[in-house]
Amino acid sequence: MVTSRSAATARSRTVVPRRRGPVLERAILDAALEQLSTVGWNGLTMEGVAAEAQTGKAAVYRRWPSKEDLVADALAAGLPSLDDAPDLGGVRDDLYALTRLVRDAMYSRPGWALRAVLHECDKSSSGRFQALIMSGVIEPSANLFGEVVHRGIRRGDVRPDATGSLVFDVIPALLMYRSKVRDSEWPDEEIAQLIDQVVLPMLRPPSD
């Protein structure tokens, strides 16, 4: 039997403390990512985000006047950072470790959300999110692959002319292509095959 006292106690346990400033903004951004991962771009509404964040709709609109603004900030804040290239002593191990980091970023909740947005939103909005994936994922990963290759050249593991932008784009391009077209989630063994069968033969001096 549920008494009035036990019901009141249950209600008190679900009360969300009043949040302000960065704490509330972080809750709203997290709620937007959660909505994207469950209902997608077309199903996401400002009202749904407010309910997920357990706040009022006005609190969302005060900070983000449109759905596009909210989603762009949620994705930018949530994407994992790609700051440093692994340095494990050899180009093969460095490339393998870095590719796993990029794979993990792609399949993080923000990564999934970003790709869902690109697939679902119309042309008027897609350019903004394409720019976001370029600046947040593709360009940083290409820069880090370039750092690994240049380090390999200094070590003698990589031929000196393997420094073009197309070389640095090979791994990110294959990751994106096979994830979208072949529905691959890039398990570690496929990453190892990518490095050993495609990338290293492309990079190593002819005598190797």
Side-chain angles (χ1 to χ4, degrees):
M1 178 178 179
V2 178
T3 65
S4 59
R5 177 176 295 180
S6 63
T9 300
R11 287 195 298 272
S12 68
R13 289 173 180 167
T14 63
V15 172
V16 177
R18 186 174 180 81
R19 297 157 297 171
R20 300 177 183 274
V23 174
L24 177 57
E25 290 178 2
R26 181 70 262 176
I28 294 171
L29 294 174
D30 286 343
L33 290 178
E34 180 62 26
Q35 287 285 292
L36 282 171
S37 67
T38 55
V39 301
W41 167 263
N42 292 326
L44 183 145
T45 64
M46 302 292 262
E47 292 82 359
V49 170
E52 180 75 29
Q54 296 184 302
T55 190
K57 181 172 64 175
V60 180
Y61 276 107
R62 276 198 302 270
R63 292 163 173 80
W64 295 279
S66 71
K67 172 176 165 176
E68 290 82 0
D69 292 327
L70 172 60
V71 169
D73 281 355
L75 293 170
L79 284 172
S81 60
L82 296 170
D83 298 323
D84 299 306
D87 187 355
L88 303 175
V91 67
R92 194 270 179 194
D93 290 341
D94 291 351
L95 287 171
Y96 176 74
L98 178 55
T99 304
R100 291 180 72 228
L101 291 176
V102 174
R103 183 270 318 271
D104 292 345
M106 286 177 57
Y107 288 97
S108 65
R109 184 176 65 166
W112 277 109
L114 180 53
R115 283 180 288 136
V117 167
L118 291 174
H119 292 161
E120 292 183 44
C121 68
D122 58 30
K123 290 184 178 180
S124 63
S125 301
S126 62
R128 180 174 187 177
F129 298 115
Q130 287 171 346
L132 182 60
I133 195 171
M134 285 297 297
S135 63
V137 178
I138 301 300
E139 290 177 354
S141 63
N143 289 338
L144 293 182
F145 284 120
E147 182 179 334
V148 169
V149 168
H150 282 288
R151 188 191 300 147
I153 292 172
R154 294 193 296 270
R155 289 171 174 159
D157 296 335
V158 177
R159 68 177 194 274
D161 63 341
T163 57
S165 61
L166 288 175
V167 174
F168 304 152
D169 285 344
V170 166
I171 292 177
L174 276 172
L175 290 176
M176 293 296 293
Y177 166 75
R178 287 180 64 90
S179 66
K180 183 175 182 179
V181 177
R182 302 288 295 275
D183 201 28
S184 171
E185 295 189 7
W186 284 103
D188 289 350
E189 58 268 24
E190 287 190 13
I191 291 178
Q193 292 171 3
L194 168 62
I195 301 304
D196 294 333
Q197 299 175 16
V198 177
V199 181
L200 290 182
M202 177 180 65
L203 296 178
R204 282 177 170 158
S207 59
D208 288 357

